Amino acid sequence: MRISVIGCGYLGAVHASAMAELGHDVVGIDVDERKIKALAAGRPAFYEPGLPEILASATASGRLRFSTDIAEAAEAEVHFLAVGTPQTADTGAADVSYVDSAFSALLPHLAEGALIVGKSTVPVGTAARLAARLAAEAPHAGLAWNPEFLREGFAVKDTLSPDRLVYGVAQGDGGRAASALDHVYRAAIEAGTPRIVTDYATAELVKVAANAFLATKISFINAMSEIADATGADVTALADAIGHDARIGRRFLNAGVGFGGGCLPKDIRGFIARAEELGLNDTLAFLGEVDETNLRQRRRVVDLAVQDLGGSAAGKKVAVLGVTFKPDSDDVRDSPALDIAVSLQELGARVVVTDPEGLENALARHPDLGTAPTTREALFGAHLVILATEWNEYRTLDPETTGRLVGERRIIDGRNVLEPAAWRAAGWRYRGIGRP
Ligand SMILES: NC(=O)C1=CN([C@@H]2O[C@H](COP(=O)(O)OP(=O)(O)OC[C@H]3O[C@@H](n4cnc5c(N)ncnc54)[C@H](O)[C@@H]3O)[C@@H](O)[C@H]2O)C=CC1
Ligand SMILES: O=C(O)[C@H]1O[C@H](OP(=O)(O)OP(=O)(O)OC[C@H]2O[C@@H](n3ccc(=O)[nH]c3=O)[C@H](O)[C@@H]2O)[C@H](O)[C@@H](O)[C@@H]1O
C-alpha cells in the first residue's frame, strides 16, 4: 500500500521504517528539517536497537523516503498521524495542537477514498472532533484511530509483531477503514495477532487505560517496597509470590526508582486532566496517587543516599550508573535516574553519571551535570554508587573488581538487580529498594 507517516519523531520514524520493511511504499513527513535530513541519510535521531538496519534496507530498496513537504503525502492511501502530544505545563493535559495542525495541513492533499489513521496518544473525544471536521471539509476521506503500544528498546519488534491491534472506526463506514488497516497489517494478522475493531472513544481509551494500568502496577509494587523497608520484608520475593497468581502476573512488578519516559508519566497526567474536563473529578484521583508514589521513589533514593553519606552529600563523589529512563534507550525524558543525579548535585555532591547511550541527551538538558564516558571513570574514588538504570553492563558488575575502584564500598541498587549476598560478602554496604 502507499502510506504516509506524518510526524517522524520516535514513533513515526519506527512506524515508517517498519511499514516499509513490510513491503509498503512509505513517505515520512516531518516539519523538522534536521530530523528529515538525518533519517534520509539513515541516521535516526535516537537510539533504538534494530532501527538503523531496517531504515537502511528500506531506504536502499526505494520503498521509504522522507520529506518536509506534506504535498508529498498526496498519493498515499493511508496517512498515519504520529505527531507528539506533550503534556501542557499548567494543567497536565495532553497538548493536541500538533495533531490539529498536522491534520489541517494534510486535508488539502487527501486523495479520493484516503484514510487518515491517528496513532498519537490523544484525549478521548479527539477522533470524533476530527471526524466532524473531515465530514465538513474533506468528506471523500475517512478517519480511524489505531493506538500504538510499542515499547522503546523493543520498538521494531513490537511494530512488526504487535501483541494486539486496535482499530477505532466510524460507525457505519461499511468496514472500509478496518479492511484498509487489515491490508496494512496483513503480516501480523496472518500470524494470528488479535485485532479489536471498536469505536473511536474506546480505541482512544484503550491506549491511556493500558498505560495507566502499567503505571499503577509499578506504583503498587513501589508502595509495597516502602512497607517492606519499614518491616524488613523482601519486595522481590513478594513480587515473585504474588506474580505466580495468573490473575496478577509477575511482569511490571519490579520495584525501584520508579517509572519515567516520554509516555507513562505524561499519559496518566493527561488522563486525569481529561477526566476532570468530563466532570469526573474523583474518578481518576487514584492516578494522582500513582504519580505521587512514583515521584516519592526518587526522593526516597536521594534521602537514602544522603543517609549513606553520613547525613550530608556535600563534597562527596557519587557515581550514578545509568541516566536513561530504562535500558536499551537513549531517552532521558522524565528519567528517574537523571532526576536523582540532578537532585544530589544540587545537594552539593560531586555527581558523576555514566550511561552507554544517554549522556548526550542528559547534558542537553543539564549542561552542568558531571559525567564520565566509562563506568570505570565514574566509579573511580566514589563514596557511593547508585545503580539507577539496569543496563546489562551494570547488572553484571563484579563486586570485587568494582570495589577496587571506589573510595567506599557503598551501593544503592535502585533497580534491585544485583545479588545482595555477593556484594555484602565483598565488603559492600548494599541497599536495595524494599529488600533487606
Ligand atoms: N515514543 C513512544 O515510545 C511512543 C509514543 N506514542 C505516542 O506517539 C506520539 C508521538 O510520540 P513521539 O514519537 O515519542 O514524539 P516525538 O516528540 O519524538 O515526535 C513527534 C514529531 O512530530 C513532529 N511534528 C510536530 N508537528 C508536526 C506537523 N504539523 N507535521 C509533521 N510533523 C510534525 C515533530 O517535529 C516530531 O518530530 C505521542 O502521542 C506519544 O504519546 C505512543 C506509543 C509509543
Ligand atoms: O505509550 C508509550 O509510549 C509506551 O509506554 C510504555 O513503554 P515505554 O515508555 O517504552 O517503557 P516501559 O517498558 O513501559 O517502562 C516504563 C518505565 O517503567 C519502569 N518500570 C517498568 C517495569 C517495572 O516492573 N518497573 C519499572 O520501574 C521502567 O524502568 C521505565 O522507566 C508502555 O510499556 C508501552 O506499551 C507504550 O506504548
Side-chain angles (χ1 to χ4, degrees), residues 5-13 29-33 35 46 48 68 70 81-86 97-103 105 119-122 147-152 155 207 211 262-263 266-267 325 331 333:
V5 177
I6 299 159
C8 286
Y10 209 110
L11 168 62
I29 309 280
D30 202 291
V31 288
D32 185 332
E33 201 174 327
K35 262 182 205 173
F46 53 89
E48 180 62 44
T68 52
I70 189 92
L81 290 181
V83 299
T85 48
S97 62
Y98 301 98
V99 174
D100 284 327
S101 50
F103 185 83
K119 272 241 152 260
S120 305
T121 302
V122 290
E148 176 57 54
F149 304 100
L150 69 80
R151 301 156 298 165
E152 295 187 11
K207 173 65 202 174
N211 276 359
C263 289
K266 95 166 160 65
D267 287 352
F325 83 105
D331 198 340
R333 288 182 284 182

Side-chain angles (χ1 to χ4, degrees), residues 78-90:
V78 174
H79 303 270
F80 285 102
L81 290 181
V83 299
T85 48
Q87 185 186 327
T88 33
D90 48 351

Side-chain angles (χ1 to χ4, degrees), residues 189-417:
I189 288 170
E190 282 175 2
T193 304
R195 148 193 181 284
I196 292 112
V197 182
T198 182
D199 54 82
Y200 291 145
T202 307
E204 291 165 323
L205 281 171
V206 167
K207 173 65 202 174
V208 281
N211 276 359
F213 194 84
L214 294 171
T216 303
K217 214 172 167 188
I218 300 169
S219 277
F220 176 84
I221 202 67
N222 279 331
M224 294 304 109
S225 81
E226 284 193 70
I227 307 271
D229 273 334
T231 56
D234 181 348
V235 76
T236 310
L238 181 147
D240 290 344
I242 62 172
H244 280 300
D245 183 331
R247 293 170 303 173
I248 296 173
R250 178 62 178 82
R251 296 176 73 186
F252 272 68
L253 282 182
N254 295 321
V257 295
F259 60 80
C263 289
L264 256 49
K266 95 166 160 65
D267 287 352
I268 58 172
R269 292 169 198 153
F271 200 10
I272 296 170
R274 183 67 185 126
E276 287 174 358
E277 280 170 16
L278 293 166
L280 302 170
N281 289 32
D282 298 331
T283 309
L284 296 183
F286 75 96
L287 285 181
E289 283 300 316
V290 166
D291 196 10
E292 176 50 30
T293 300
N294 187 53
L295 296 175
R296 195 161 60 235
Q297 289 301 99
R298 304 174 187 193
R299 298 196 294 269
R300 281 179 66 205
V301 171
V302 171
D303 290 348
L304 214 58
V306 172
Q307 218 181 73
D308 273 0
L309 291 168
S312 167
K316 303 281 175 51
K317 177 169 177 181
V318 180
V320 178
L321 306 184
V323 74
T324 53
F325 83 105
K326 67 174 194 179
D328 297 318
S329 166
D330 63 359
D331 198 340
V332 299
R333 288 182 284 182
D334 210 340
S335 166
L338 180 57
D339 236 17
I340 289 165
V342 168
S343 300
L344 284 168
Q345 190 159 302
E346 282 167 2
L347 290 171
R350 281 189 296 124
V351 171
V352 181
V353 177
T354 189
D355 190 284
E357 298 292 339
L359 291 185
E360 200 180 319
N361 285 340
L363 283 169
R365 279 161 198 255
H366 295 280
D368 297 333
L369 191 67
T371 59
T374 65
T375 310
R376 207 182 153 77
E377 282 168 74
L379 290 170
F380 193 72
H383 299 103
L384 173 68
V385 180
I386 302 178
L387 194 163
T389 312
E390 70 279 31
W391 287 92
N392 251 343
E393 65 179 86
Y394 308 145
R395 284 171 174 271
T396 52
L397 281 174
D398 174 61
E400 188 45 52
T401 40
T402 310
R404 285 190 220 118
L405 293 171
V406 296
E408 306 272 353
R409 295 191 175 200
R410 295 192 196 111
I411 188 159
I412 298 176
D413 177 5
R415 295 290 186 170
N416 287 348
V417 289

